[in-house]
Amino acid sequence: MTASTRTVERTSESPHFRVRERFRDVYAHREILANLVRKELKVKYAASVLGAVWSILNPLVYLAVFSFVAKVLGGGIPDFPVYLLSGLLAWNLFSTALSAGAASVLDNANLVKKVAFPREILPLSALGVALVDFALQSIVLFAYILISGYGLHWPELALWPLAFVTLVALSVAIMLWLAAANVRYRDIGHLLNIGLLVWFWATPLVYAEYKVQELAAQSEWFGIPRLAFFLVNPMVDVVAGFHRALYGVVAPEGSATPVLFDKSVAWVAGILSITLLVSLVALRFTWAHFFGRSGDFAEEL
């Protein structure tokens, strides 16, 4: 009896992932990326009377609701609209990119099965749409800051580019992993919705950063200040950067206690730099994971 040999043929791409080569490949297909972003924007606002205005209304509704809640609970923050919207600016980009990016491969199953192109373009197109919303919401926030007379704080504003780059790197790193996992495990989308809800309240968006610092200062875990454990949440660091850049003032006039972390601008820049470095390292591994799985997407869809 002769043993038959079975040949297993895989459709995965080469396991040898090289960042520079893959980046060049994605860049070479930038036309597809631009077309997908345009297509997604058209679909998003198709048959919509207000169109892109909905992207602006979203943070304004948040502002109205949480301003009311803060007033009822007596936990008012001076110039609360600026504080809330500067944090929501970062959060909306993050949550929108993750939600759309996680479903990007599934939503474009027909394209994956028929056309050969770097699959990373699909989650990146979701990021592109989120960036358009981010730009529109930024215009609203900056207009409010200027028209209301609150003004910009120029030394602190220098943190904005660092906070933005960190946010994008973190979002892409998580998106690539979610997009790859969601092809095989369809529960990812449901888990993500729950995770983002918990993540929202674990990030100082509607309550003062200093409240967290104050509570954390009361005890230590394993000899380490609790604030250090809180800062492990990367969105805390990113939002702290946006707050310091746009809200600007640690202890506003008329406030009994600080609102932002009672730390220097250099300290905020330091935690942002660490978060950026960690995000870039994570991006390297999640990109390699996505690359290794992408060749099987057509068969798994």
Side-chain angles (χ1 to χ4, degrees):
M1 177 178 170
T2 31
S4 59
T5 306
R6 185 182 174 187
T7 304
V8 178
E9 184 178 340
R10 291 187 57 80
T11 60
S12 298
E13 298 191 44
S14 168
H16 302 296
F17 172 76
R18 294 179 178 84
V19 173
R20 188 176 299 177
E21 291 179 9
R22 195 61 177 174
F23 180 82
R24 281 201 298 261
D25 197 15
V26 172
Y27 182 75
H29 291 81
R30 60 190 180 279
E31 286 272 329
I32 297 177
L33 175 58
N35 288 333
L36 280 173
V37 171
R38 281 193 289 266
K39 184 205 81 171
E40 293 297 331
L41 286 172
K42 286 179 182 177
V43 169
K44 184 175 182 179
Y45 299 121
S48 172
V49 176
L50 296 179
V53 175
W54 287 113
S55 297
I56 298 171
L57 287 177
N58 181 43
L60 293 180
V61 170
Y62 268 91
L63 174 61
V65 171
F66 286 119
S67 294
F68 174 75
V69 171
K71 192 170 183 180
V72 170
L73 296 179
I77 294 173
D79 298 296
F80 185 66
V82 180
Y83 179 84
L84 177 65
L85 290 178
S86 58
L88 277 181
L89 193 64
W91 178 261
N92 285 344
L93 172 58
F94 179 72
S95 60
T96 302
L98 260 59
S99 298
S104 59
V105 179
L106 290 178
D107 290 346
N108 292 279
N110 290 334
L111 191 63
V112 171
K113 294 175 183 178
K114 295 176 182 177
V115 183
F117 63 94
R119 306 312 190 199
E120 294 92 326
I121 285 176
L122 297 175
L124 287 177
S125 67
L127 176 67
V129 174
L131 285 172
V132 172
D133 289 344
F134 177 86
L136 293 172
Q137 292 168 14
S138 295
I139 292 170
V140 173
L141 176 56
F142 279 101
Y144 178 85
I145 289 173
L146 296 175
I147 293 171
S148 67
Y150 185 79
L152 296 171
H153 300 79
W154 293 105
E156 289 80 7
L157 193 60
L159 286 171
W160 190 91
L162 178 59
F164 175 73
V165 172
T166 304
L167 174 61
V168 171
L170 174 66
S171 300
V172 175
I174 300 175
M175 280 168 58
L176 289 174
W177 183 85
L178 289 173
N182 201 29
V183 174
R184 180 171 294 180
Y185 308 106
R186 306 300 167 87
D187 293 330
I188 291 292
H190 302 291
L191 291 173
L192 178 61
N193 291 334
I194 297 171
L196 285 174
L197 177 61
V198 175
W199 209 335
F200 177 88
W201 290 106
T203 305
L205 293 161
V206 298
Y207 52 89
E209 292 175 3
Y210 186 73
K211 292 290 184 184
V212 176
Q213 183 179 341
E214 196 174 35
L215 289 171
Q218 296 175 6
S219 63
E220 297 180 347
W221 288 342
F222 310 107
I224 302 173
R226 287 174 63 183
L227 182 61
F229 290 97
F230 191 75
L231 293 173
V232 169
N233 175 357
M235 281 306 292
V236 171
D237 310 331
V238 169
V239 167
F242 274 84
H243 278 159
R244 182 59 69 91
L246 299 174
Y247 189 72
V249 183
V250 173
E253 194 175 331
S255 178
T257 59
V259 173
L260 306 183
F261 288 127
D262 192 11
K263 304 289 184 180
S264 67
V265 172
W267 182 88
V268 178
I271 63 168
L272 275 174
S273 299
I274 293 170
T275 305
L276 175 58
L277 180 61
V278 173
S279 298
L280 291 173
V281 172
L283 175 56
R284 165 64 179 78
F285 287 102
T286 58
W287 193 358
H289 173 71
F290 184 95
F291 173 78
R293 292 282 312 280
S294 62
D296 292 330
F297 285 167
E299 287 189 348
E300 293 178 347
L301 289 171

